[in-house]
Amino acid sequence: LQFSITFSAPVTGFTLADVTRTASAGSPTFALTGSGASYTLSASGMTEPTTIGVSVAADRASTAAGSRNLASGAPVSATFTTPPTVSSVSPDTGSTAGGDSVTISGNYFTGATGVTFGGTAATAVTVVNATTITATTPAGSSGPVSVVVTTPFGSNAANTLFAYRDNQTISFTDPADRVFVLNDSVPLAATATSGLAVTFTSATPLVCSVSGSTATVLTGGICTINADQAGNTAFSAAPQVQQSFVISPAAQTISFTDPADIAAFVPNQPVSLVATATSGLAVSFTSATPLVCSVSGATATVLAGGTCSINADQAGNASYAAAPQVSQSFAIAPASQSISFTDPADRAFVA
């Protein structure tokens, strides 16, 4: 809005502070330009209908001859009105069934009397302020639609700020449970009602990985797979579907080399122990005859003659069940010994 302020003769010392300004709503920004006998007061920054009043009090400016101005009299007023403008809708997509809560942003929303999506009235319309409206979408057909706000001063221009998208769901076949085999490939099968491709991700990346439509077994446990379809301009994102399958520990066995018998007992003689598990996991050893032999790591130590029995075990992990215990024994023969006996000296009889 602009107001013209005219004096009967050129004046000096006239500034914006000399102009009395009122606004019925909002906080407009004012600027004064001009010189001599003609000035223009501009009002801007209005975001809602506003009536602005302007007047000039007496003795605010003077001519070169020293004459002072008279009061302008009753304020001159003008009302700012403009149709609303819509700049964005968030979220900008929703279900064709309607019922989605959205926030509409723009300007000049004060006094709004309605909101439509593609010509159908929205519900639960709330004018938060001059720049924000919340509403609930009506049902609509798939595709972009115009969001129109109506106030007593008109409606905004047509737009394509919101799009309806059909809902879709995913059908995901549950992979079968299996026994652990490292790097075993598991095919994944899922379809979306939209006909769009489904993507898979692993929710348990330490147990199984996913590439394309194949899961790869990494360890025993529970493998959980996510199936997603992100949607497009015609379909909303599908609700995520998960399927899980159990990877049971595999069986394993131990191969334990029987230590050779010892021909003669030697105290603290070391005996190497050798065993492997089909899982590749380390085998542990314990002595079943701790009075005859002890064990530390993969070495038995001879303590006495007799039969030394050693147990070999592998406890398993998430991928392998515990192996059946395997025992091996070896004989420790007694060592030969001899007696050294000093011959007492001959001597005469003493009664």
Side-chain angles (χ1 to χ4, degrees):
L1 292 178
Q2 291 186 329
F3 297 83
S4 294
I5 301 174
T6 304
F7 297 93
S8 59
V11 297
T12 59
F14 186 62
T15 67
L16 180 62
D18 297 316
V19 182
T20 301
R21 296 147 284 153
T22 61
S24 62
S27 300
T29 299
F30 295 94
L32 182 69
T33 58
S35 62
S38 180
Y39 292 83
T40 298
L41 178 71
S42 300
S44 61
M46 289 79 75
T47 60
E48 55 189 316
T50 304
T51 298
I52 295 175
V54 176
S55 62
V56 178
D59 297 325
R60 293 297 179 176
S62 61
T63 66
S67 298
R68 307 288 289 180
N69 71 286
L70 300 175
S72 62
V76 175
S77 63
T79 300
F80 169 80
T81 59
T82 186
T85 61
V86 175
S87 57
S88 67
V89 180
S90 178
D92 60 3
T93 60
S95 168
T96 54
D100 294 308
S101 296
V102 298
T103 298
I104 303 168
S105 299
N107 283 300
Y108 317 124
F109 290 163
T110 300
T113 57
V115 175
T116 60
F117 285 73
T120 303
T123 58
V125 176
T126 300
V127 181
V128 178
N129 52 44
T131 62
T132 305
I133 289 176
T134 59
T136 300
T137 61
S141 299
S142 179
V145 296
S146 183
V147 179
V148 177
V149 175
T150 299
T151 73
F153 306 104
S155 301
N156 60 279
N159 55 65
T160 54
L161 295 175
F162 185 84
Y164 281 107
R165 299 197 290 187
D166 288 321
N167 292 328
Q168 60 170 328
T169 58
I170 293 172
S171 177
F172 184 5
T173 302
D174 190 6
D177 295 341
R178 62 204 58 234
V179 174
F180 171 76
V181 175
L182 183 62
N183 295 323
D184 188 16
S185 294
V186 182
L188 305 173
T191 57
T193 52
S194 64
L196 299 173
V198 175
T199 59
F200 302 98
T201 56
S202 175
T204 51
L206 297 180
V207 177
C208 54
S209 62
V210 171
S211 177
S213 59
T214 301
T216 299
V217 172
L218 303 178
T219 186
I222 297 176
C223 172
T224 299
I225 304 296
N226 301 324
D228 293 276
Q229 212 307 303
N232 59 12
T233 56
F235 290 92
S236 299
Q240 185 181 82
V241 176
Q242 285 188 334
Q243 293 287 11
S244 298
F245 59 94
V246 177
I247 305 167
S248 302
Q252 61 170 327
T253 58
I254 294 172
S255 176
F256 184 6
T257 302
D258 189 6
D261 293 340
I262 296 176
F265 167 75
V266 175
N268 297 321
Q269 181 178 347
V271 178
S272 296
L273 305 173
V274 179
T276 58
T278 53
S279 64
L281 300 174
V283 175
S284 61
F285 303 96
T286 55
S287 175
T289 53
L291 297 180
V292 177
C293 54
S294 63
V295 171
S296 177
T299 302
T301 300
V302 172
L303 303 178
T307 299
C308 173
S309 294
I310 304 294
N311 298 327
D313 293 278
Q314 211 308 303
N317 58 14
S319 300
Y320 291 94
Q325 186 181 80
V326 176
S327 296
Q328 295 288 12
S329 298
F330 59 95
I332 307 166
S336 60
Q337 62 175 327
S338 60
I339 297 174
S340 177
F341 186 10
T342 304
D343 186 11
D346 296 338
R347 59 196 66 221
F349 173 77
V350 176

